[in-house]
Amino acid sequence: MLRTLFVLAILVPGFLLSLRSRYVALLMYLWFALFRPQDWMWIDVTSLRLSLLLGLILLVPALLSGRFPNMTHPLSIGMILFVWSASITQTVAIRPDVGWVWIDFLVRLFLASMMIVTCATDARQVLGVVAVIGGSLGFHASKAGLAYVLGGGTRFADGLAGAFVDNNGYALATVMVIPLLLATAQNIDLLYSGRFLTWIRRGLYLSIPLCMFAVIGTYSRGGFISLAAITLVFAMLQQRRLLAVGGLVAIVTVALLVVPIPQSYVDRLQTIQTYNDIGEESAMSRPHFWKVGFRMVSANPLGVGLKQYEAAYDKYDFSYGRYGHNRAVHSSHVQVLAELGYPGEIIWIGLFACAFVACFRVRRRSRAPELDPRTSLFLKTTANALIVSMAGFLVGGSFLSLAVNDLTWLTFGLVAALDRFAKRAVELRVESPAAVQAIPVVSPWMSVPTYSRGR
C-alpha cells in the first residue's frame, strides 16, 4: 500500500504539471520509463498504458507549439543514422517482423533523447534530467545495496524489468548511474536550496557506496570490471589524481572493513583469470559467441537485422550446438556489428567518439574565464559524470548484448544538451559580462557553500 501511495504522490501531480510544461512532461516520461513503477506497485496499471500517454503529452503539444525534437546536434544526427542503418538492414533481415518492433522502440527512445536537447536548455534543467535518470535507477540500486549490507552479503539473481532484467544487466545499469548520482550530489543546490539541502546531499553521497554494494550483490564479473573501470576513469579526470586515488582506496578499505565481502564472491571473481583452466562454460562461451558474430557480418555486410543475432545464431554456429541454441552475443559492440553490419558499427563507434569529444569540449569550456565559478563547476562535474558513465558502458557492455537500452541513448541526449548549454553559456558571458556579485561556489566534497566574487 505504501508503495502505491508513494508512486501516486509522484504520478498524479506530475501528470497534471506535465499538461502545462514540456520539461515536466519530459521528466515524468523518463521517470516512468526508468523507475518502472508498474513493476513496483501492488496494483496492475499496465492496461492504462501510462508510458504511451506520457509520451503523447510530451510530444504532441511540443510539436503543435513548434518545439521539435532536436535533429541538428551531431549526436542527434547519429541517432537518425542509426535508425536509418537498422531500416536498411531490414531488407536482408532474418526476421523482419522482429526488426520492425525494435525499430519502433528505437524511434520512440530517440525522440525522447532528442527532446532532452530541446527542453533542457539551462544548468538547472540539465541537472534535473541527470537527477531523474540517476535517481530513478539509483533508488532501486541503493535499496538493494542496503539489503546487501543488512543481510550480510545478500545475492541478487535478478535485476529490474526491461533491458536490465538479469543480474548482469542490473550491475551494468547501476555502474552507469553511480556517476550521475555523484553529479547530482555535487550540484543539488541548483535544484533545491532549502533547509534540507545538507541532508539531501548527504543522502545522495550515501547512495553511491550502496550502489557499489548492489553491484557486488549481483555477483556479476562484468559488473565488477565495469565498476573498477569507472573508478579508474573518475580518478584520472581529477586535477589531483594521486589524491583522488588515495581517497578512493581509503573509502574502499573502510567499506570492506565494515561490510565483509563473502568468500563466494571472491571465488567467482577469481574465475576471471582461471575460467579456461577450470572449464567455466559461461566465460568460455563468450569468445565463441563473438566469433559467430564476426561470421555473421562476413556473410552479411549489412547485418542480420536488429535484435536478430539469436535467430541467426544456429545457422552460423560452428560448434554444432556445444553452447546451446539461439544464444545471445554477450557483447553490445559485436551485437551492433553482427546485427547492423559495417555501416551500423561505424555509426555506433562514431556516436561514442562524438559524445566523448563533446564532454571534453565542455570540460575545456568550463575553464573559460568569462564563466562564473558556479556554472564552471556544474559543467566540469557533469561532463565528468557523463564521461565516466559512458566508459562504464563501453567496458561492461563488452560482455552483455545491451546495445538497445534506454540508459545509453538517453546519455547521448544528455551529452548533447550539456554541450549546447556550455556553448551558449560561454557566448552569453562574452557578449554580456555579469556585474560583480557574490556567486555561490559549492565544493564537490562540501555541503556548505562558500562564496567568490564574480568575474
Side-chain angles (χ1 to χ4, degrees), residues 143-383:
K143 187 164 62 72
L146 183 61
Y148 175 90
V149 173
L150 297 180
T154 304
R155 181 171 182 174
F156 309 110
D158 298 317
L160 303 172
F164 310 110
V165 67
D166 66 354
N167 64 313
N168 294 305
Y170 189 16
L172 179 57
T174 302
V175 167
M176 292 176 67
V177 300
I178 287 175
L180 304 185
L181 292 171
L182 177 59
T184 304
Q186 293 170 325
N187 299 285
I188 189 61
D189 57 290
L190 293 177
L191 298 177
Y192 175 80
S193 57
R195 60 185 298 186
F196 300 110
L197 173 63
T198 299
W199 288 104
I200 293 174
R201 179 177 279 116
R202 289 173 179 173
L204 288 167
Y205 280 131
L206 178 61
S207 69
I208 295 170
L210 290 178
C211 286
M212 292 180 176
F213 283 124
V215 173
I216 295 174
T218 64
Y219 277 59
S220 170
R221 291 167 294 192
F224 172 80
I225 295 173
S226 183
L227 182 60
I230 69 165
T231 303
L232 177 61
V233 172
F234 173 77
M236 292 299 100
L237 290 173
Q238 304 310 302
Q239 188 172 358
R240 299 179 178 179
R241 296 183 180 88
L242 292 179
L243 181 62
V245 171
L248 290 170
V249 170
I251 292 172
V252 170
T253 302
V254 172
L256 293 177
L257 292 175
V258 174
V259 185
I261 304 300
Q263 184 59 41
S264 56
Y265 179 70
V266 177
D267 293 340
R268 180 163 177 79
L269 292 184
Q270 289 177 343
T271 63
I272 295 175
Q273 291 183 317
T274 63
Y275 71 90
N276 202 35
D277 298 332
I278 64 177
E280 215 273 349
E281 289 284 312
S282 176
M284 290 175 61
S285 63
R286 303 296 173 90
H288 172 73
F289 298 148
W290 302 340
K291 292 176 182 177
V292 171
F294 294 139
R295 280 199 167 197
M296 287 184 188
V297 75
S298 295
N300 306 273
L302 292 179
V304 298
L306 185 62
K307 295 291 285 186
Q308 293 167 60
Y309 173 95
E310 295 179 21
Y313 175 80
D314 289 351
K315 179 179 179 181
Y316 296 94
D317 176 26
F318 54 90
S319 72
Y320 305 103
R322 174 184 174 182
Y323 300 108
H325 301 279
N326 303 117
R327 297 302 306 271
V329 62
H330 290 283
S331 170
S332 299
H333 317 308
V334 180
Q335 176 191 3
V336 173
L337 179 64
E339 294 180 352
L340 300 187
Y342 297 112
E345 186 73 5
I346 291 172
I347 297 168
W348 176 254
I349 295 172
L351 277 162
F352 278 100
C354 180
F356 279 112
V357 168
C359 285
F360 280 102
R361 182 166 57 233
V362 171
R363 278 171 52 90
R364 185 177 68 253
R365 285 174 173 160
S366 72
R367 297 191 291 268
E370 298 84 11
L371 287 179
D372 63 90
R374 189 64 193 86
T375 302
S376 176
L377 178 64
F378 165 74
L379 291 176
K380 181 179 180 181
T381 54
T382 308

